[in-house]
Amino acid sequence: MLKEMLNDNCCLSIAGLDPSGGAGILADCKTFHAYGLYACCVVTAITAQNPFEVNNIQAIDSSVIEDEIDTVLDVYPLEYIKTGMLYSKDIIKIVSRKIKEYQLKAVVDPVMISESGSNLTEENFSSFLNKYLIKHAYIITPNIHEAEQLSNTKISNEEDMIKVAEKLSSTSNVVITGGHLNGNDILCYEDKIHRIKGNMIDSDNTHGTGCTYSSSIASCLIRGDNLKISCKKSNEFIQNAIKAGYNKTPNQFFKL
C-alpha cells in the first residue's frame, strides 16, 4: 500500500561507501539529488579511503546486503538502479539474483580499481562479473581499463574501443568511457555504435568520476531520456563535475 502512495522519482545505488564523499554511494546520492531524485542506497562494503589512497576495505555480509535490497524494494517503486563496487563473487551473485527477481534495469559500473590505483575487488572479479551479472544488466559503463579486463582485449585507440564495445554488447548495452584515452565515449546500443564527443580536461579532480557518470545515466533514464541521450547528457554532466569540483570532489549541482 505504501509503495503505491510513493512516486517513481527515486533511484537506488548498490555500492561501497567512500567516507571522503568523492566516490561510491555518497557520490551517487549527490548525483541523484542533482537530478531531483530521491536517493536510496545499499552498502556493499565500507572503505577507508580518500582521493589519494585506500587503506582498508570491509565487505558487508551477503545476508545483510540481501536484506538491504529487499527492505528498500519492499517500499520504493524502482525500475532503474545502478551498481558500483561489489567487491566479491558472493555479492555479485546476490545482486544479480535480485536484479532478476525484481526485474530491475541495472546500470552496472564494473568498479575494479580506485582512481588512486588501489584494487577494490577480490581476485578474478572480472570473470565473476561476466559469469553472473553482466547478462542481467541494462547497460554496463566500463572505463578503458575495466573494458580491457572484461574483454581480455587491449585498447590502444578508439577503433579498439569500438571493437571491444561490440564484443561486450552480446548480452547488454555498453558504453566505454574515454577519460583515459581522448575523452570520447563509445556506446553500443540497439546493435549500433554511437560516438559521444567529449573533451579531455586538464584537472586532477577525477576521483569518483565513474560513479558519478553511471549515476547520471541512471538518473536520466528515470527522467525519461533514451539511452543515447542519457549517455550524452552524462558525458556533459561529468565534464562539468570535473571543471567545477573542489578538493577532488564535486561540490555543487550543475545545470541539467
Side-chain angles (χ1 to χ4, degrees):
M1 181 65 180
L2 179 58
K3 181 182 288 189
E4 295 174 356
M5 295 171 60
L6 297 171
N7 63 42
D8 57 0
N9 200 32
C10 55
C11 193
L12 169 67
S13 168
I14 303 176
L17 173 65
D18 167 14
S20 72
I25 57 173
L26 291 179
D28 296 339
C29 283
K30 293 172 186 178
T31 304
F32 297 156
H33 292 162
Y35 279 93
L37 302 177
Y38 182 83
C40 301
C41 295
V42 166
V43 182
T44 59
I46 298 172
T47 71
Q49 70 169 298
N50 58 42
F52 308 100
E53 60 185 349
V54 178
N55 289 320
N56 205 340
I57 299 174
Q58 176 62 61
I60 302 299
D61 185 90
S62 298
S63 65
V64 175
I65 295 173
E66 183 171 14
D67 286 345
E68 287 184 82
I69 295 171
D70 288 336
T71 304
V72 170
L73 289 169
D74 186 50
V75 174
Y76 293 95
L78 297 167
E79 178 181 8
Y80 292 97
I81 68 167
K82 74 137 292 187
T83 70
M85 177 186 176
L86 301 181
Y87 186 71
S88 71
K89 175 183 178 181
D90 288 343
I91 296 173
I92 290 172
K93 290 175 70 174
I94 282 178
V95 171
S96 177
R97 176 159 52 84
K98 291 301 176 180
I99 288 170
K100 184 178 179 182
E101 177 183 340
Y102 289 101
Q103 298 181 314
L104 300 168
K105 296 177 181 176
V107 178
V108 173
D109 179 13
V111 175
M112 300 181 195
I113 299 174
S114 72
E115 190 67 26
S116 61
S118 299
N119 188 15
L120 297 174
T121 67
E122 287 186 338
E123 192 175 353
N124 299 320
F125 183 80
S126 60
S127 65
F128 299 142
L129 278 178
N130 280 324
K131 183 175 181 180
Y132 298 109
L133 183 59
I134 288 178
K135 61 185 176 182
H136 297 306
Y138 179 65
I139 183 171
I140 59 173
T141 66
N143 61 32
I144 285 173
H145 302 311
E146 292 160 348
E148 286 179 332
Q149 291 193 48
L150 290 171
S151 66
N152 291 315
T153 304
K154 177 68 176 176
I155 297 176
S156 301
N157 51 51
E158 199 164 281
E159 286 301 313
D160 292 339
M161 290 176 69
I162 292 172
K163 291 177 183 177
V164 170
E166 291 174 333
K167 181 178 181 179
L168 293 176
S169 68
S170 61
T171 57
S172 73
N173 300 302
V174 179
V175 59
I176 301 177
T177 58
H180 294 96
L181 189 60
N182 60 9
N184 297 330
D185 300 335
I186 299 298
L187 169 66
C188 190
Y189 169 50
E190 294 182 339
D191 297 321
K192 295 181 180 178
I193 290 292
H194 306 273
R195 177 176 174 270
I196 299 173
K197 175 65 177 171
N199 297 294
M200 296 299 291
I201 301 169
D202 185 15
S203 172
D204 59 1
N205 178 44
T206 55
H207 179 55
T209 49
C211 305
T212 301
Y213 176 77
S214 55
S215 295
S216 177
I217 291 176
S219 300
C220 290
L221 290 168
I222 289 170
R223 286 167 56 126
D225 293 319
N226 65 35
L227 190 53
K228 181 180 178 181
I229 295 299
S230 296
C231 290
K232 184 177 185 297
K233 285 185 176 181
S234 297
N235 183 291
E236 296 169 354
F237 185 92
I238 200 64
Q239 290 184 65
N240 286 330
I242 292 171
K243 290 175 184 177
Y246 175 73
N247 195 27
K248 298 180 179 289
T249 59
N251 75 331
Q252 65 185 57
F253 296 158
F254 309 105
K255 184 177 181 181
L256 305 179

